[in-house]
Amino acid sequence: MRVTAPEAPLDRPELRADCADCFGLCCVALPFAKSHDFAHDKNAGTPCRNLQSDFRCGIHSRLRDEGYPGCTVFDCFGAGQKVSQVTFEGVGWRERPETARAMYEAFPVMRQLHELLWYLSDVLELAAARPVHRDARRALDGIERLTRARGDELVAADVPAIRSDVNALLLKASELVRADVPGALGRKKNHRGADLVGARFKKADLRGANFRGALLVAADLTGADLRTADLIGADLRDARLAGADLTGALFLTQAQVNAARGDAATRIPVGLRRPAHWTA
């Protein structure tokens, strides 16, 4: 049986975080609580204590060592620079404090829309999902237009409805791709939304499995074959991926890869980067 992997993804620079063109929005707009992921509490709209005057993180290279692993797994999908440079035309909240609140409200909305653009771009690169390409392109173009609207129009968008429509397309695309894998669409490999914390899948054949929204925290996926497995929304924090094969895994993001624990033998999709903290 031949597993058909997705075509190599495009670089998608507009959907990758570019902190040099952002006003540190993830470090200001979003809240976080003191925990294993963050060394201190921070309210929404309050700059992180590590944010510098140039909007750069003062401890970026030491985030994990300083107690901020949560920052290393966050991905805005390029929403930060879009809000900074397009929605607010390159004028930051320090220069115009009166725009700060509107900017902070726009950022999480833009982040959700850019995440959907990432997934829709994935769909358009899947040859087996060709039957839904036209609808996916239409959805992508509509969301892209919305991301270029005024800030008030952006915040007023019905994001739950948009997500629902896109999710239907993503589900169909996933089914089309996984249909060629024996048993993939049946109950045997359906782990959608399952609590699999610490589960043991060492060297398991998980091709075409459905892990949508599954909790795979600290799961043992050492040497597992995850080609064409649907991993959208799966929580991979501290999941052991040493020697695992994720080439062609569906809807895998950089944030998920960053949250997991892999090694030099872990195979990841083209277009995603091997995290610096993974073992050699």
Side-chain angles (χ1 to χ4, degrees):
M1 186 273 298
R2 183 175 67 87
V3 175
T4 303
E7 300 169 5
L10 301 176
D11 189 39
R12 307 180 196 171
E14 71 284 359
L15 297 179
R16 296 184 185 276
D18 182 359
C19 298
D21 277 336
C22 178
F23 300 134
L25 294 181
C26 65
C27 306
V28 184
L30 305 179
F32 53 73
K34 185 175 181 179
S35 62
H36 168 75
D37 291 321
F38 301 102
H40 73 279
D41 295 322
K42 191 191 83 63
N43 295 325
T46 301
C48 174
R49 63 181 63 175
N50 300 309
L51 184 66
Q52 301 180 133
S53 59
D54 61 356
F55 301 113
R56 300 296 184 93
C57 174
I59 61 169
H60 186 267
S61 62
R62 311 189 309 277
L63 282 167
R64 287 181 174 273
D65 294 334
E66 296 285 343
Y68 295 89
C71 296
T72 68
V73 300
F74 177 79
D75 188 355
C76 77
F77 294 96
Q81 66 258 30
K82 177 70 77 65
V83 171
S84 299
Q85 302 302 326
V86 177
T87 312
F88 288 87
E89 302 179 326
V91 181
W93 48 270
R94 282 183 174 141
E95 296 171 84
R96 294 184 60 193
E98 69 276 12
T99 67
R101 181 174 179 179
M103 195 174 297
Y104 302 159
E105 290 177 345
F107 174 64
V109 175
M110 186 72 81
R111 194 259 177 204
Q112 292 185 70
L113 296 177
H114 268 226
E115 181 182 14
L116 295 179
L117 289 176
W118 180 274
Y119 292 140
L120 287 168
S121 297
D122 276 350
V123 171
L124 292 173
E125 291 161 9
L126 296 168
R130 195 172 304 279
V132 298
H133 278 186
R134 179 178 295 180
D135 289 338
R137 170 56 64 184
R138 186 181 299 113
L140 187 148
D141 290 344
I143 294 173
E144 174 60 28
R145 285 194 297 272
L146 179 57
T147 66
R148 297 184 176 278
R150 298 194 317 268
D152 58 337
E153 295 177 354
L154 185 68
V155 173
D158 188 349
V159 176
I162 297 172
R163 292 189 74 94
S164 178
D165 290 343
V166 170
N167 188 54
L169 288 172
L170 301 181
L171 279 169
K172 183 60 177 177
S174 174
E175 291 171 354
L176 288 167
V177 173
R178 295 184 296 115
D180 290 336
V181 183
L185 300 185
R187 297 182 64 182
K188 182 179 180 182
K189 290 189 177 181
N190 184 9
H191 305 288
R192 182 176 182 178
D195 183 347
L196 299 170
V197 175
R200 299 178 182 178
F201 290 108
K202 188 174 183 178
K203 295 184 179 180
D205 180 0
L206 300 172
R207 290 173 295 176
N210 183 358
F211 286 108
R212 295 175 67 89
L215 293 176
L216 286 163
V217 178
D220 186 0
L221 292 159
T222 305
D225 189 346
L226 288 154
R227 289 175 293 168
T228 64
D230 188 337
L231 293 171
I232 193 167
D235 191 339
L236 294 174
R237 284 177 296 166
D238 292 326
R240 285 171 280 175
L241 295 174
D245 189 351
L246 293 98
T247 54
L250 301 178
F251 310 124
L252 185 66
T253 67
Q254 188 65 51
Q256 289 172 298
V257 171
N258 291 349
R261 296 162 51 194
D263 65 2
T266 306
R267 301 179 65 188
I268 58 176
V270 174
L272 297 182
R273 301 179 297 276
R274 190 174 302 276
H277 68 276
W278 281 14
T279 58

